[in-house]
């Protein structure tokens, strides 16, 4: 099925300490991100940018979006390849570099999925499914930096 899909989000800044943005240190970076019918997400900037480290920041959310998109695309690729996945964890990391002019950009993201499959005969296809998942991942196809994969495939112990 081909088509356009639109998404909406509401972001509300809650960081006015009484003087608004009268100075760089005079406001909090706190915000709330909401989508109707979903739990609110508490957000801020990253700690080096005067943010609250207990809240999600945009860099966290980008990394999470890439990791989850790969997971969902990978599971679909495995179904198509006849691979039975019984476990999946990803330890993703990203490198963002400041440009010295107040901006910056991600240079790369590395996904490190640890996949468990039902049978040893599935390991090659399970490894190959990561390339297919990368081709299908909407988020990876939307960024201008490499998203690399360093997967590990294990076989589930036999059922007792």
């Amino acid at each position: 099925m081909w088509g356009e899909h639109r998404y909406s989000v509401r972001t509300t800044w809650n960081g006015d300490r009484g003087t608004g943005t009268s100075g760089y240190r005079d406001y909090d970076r706190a915000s709330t991100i909401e989508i109707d019918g979903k739990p609110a997400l508490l957000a801020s900037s990253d700690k080096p940018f005067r943010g609250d480290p207990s809240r999600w920041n945009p860099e966290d959310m980008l990394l999470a979006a890439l990791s989850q998109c790969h997971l969902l695309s990978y599971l679909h690729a495995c179904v198509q390849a006849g691979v039975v996945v019984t476990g999946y964890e990803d330890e993703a990391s990203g490198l963002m570099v400041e440009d010295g002019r107040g901006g910056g950009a991600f240079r790369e993201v590395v996904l490190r999925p640890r996949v468990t499959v039902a049978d040893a005969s599935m390991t090659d296809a399970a490894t190959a499914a990561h390339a297919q998942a990368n081709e299908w991942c909407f988020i990876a196809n939307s960024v201008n930096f490499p998203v690399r994969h360093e997967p590990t495939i294990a076989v589930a112990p036999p059922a007792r």
Side-chain angles (χ1 to χ4, degrees):
M1 175 189 320
W2 292 71
E4 292 183 359
H5 306 273
R6 299 198 185 275
Y7 300 89
S8 299
V9 63
R10 181 174 44 263
T11 302
T12 305
W13 173 55
N14 351 70
D16 183 359
R17 294 178 179 155
T19 59
T21 58
S22 57
Y24 184 72
R25 290 174 165 69
D26 297 338
Y27 63 96
D28 195 304
R29 275 58 176 178
S31 62
T32 304
I33 300 170
E34 298 171 287
I35 296 174
D36 290 339
K38 297 181 182 183
L41 181 64
L42 301 180
S44 182
S45 60
D46 195 11
K47 185 177 180 178
F49 308 107
R50 304 195 55 79
D52 181 346
S54 71
R55 292 178 172 232
W56 284 79
N57 62 59
E59 296 82 12
D60 294 335
M61 289 186 271
L62 177 61
L63 189 58
L66 284 162
S67 180
Q68 184 183 23
C69 188
H70 185 79
L71 162 66
L72 297 170
S73 299
Y74 179 77
L75 295 176
H76 180 68
C78 284
V79 167
Q80 297 245 319
V83 173
V84 178
V85 175
T86 61
Y88 185 109
E89 288 184 20
D90 184 15
E91 294 289 334
S93 63
L95 173 64
M96 186 189 76
V97 178
E98 293 182 69
D99 63 13
R101 300 183 314 256
F106 271 82
R107 296 282 189 230
E108 75 169 355
V109 164
V110 180
L111 306 178
R112 293 179 185 86
R114 290 185 310 276
V115 179
T116 304
V117 296
D119 187 85
S121 66
M122 300 174 177
T123 57
D124 288 344
T127 300
H130 285 286
Q132 181 64 64
N134 190 59
E135 288 181 30
W136 287 343
C137 176
F138 302 132
I139 308 301
N141 287 315
S142 300
V143 298
N144 65 353
F145 53 84
V147 179
R148 295 189 303 109
H149 310 93
E150 296 176 358
T152 303
I153 310 294
V155 179
R160 294 183 182 209

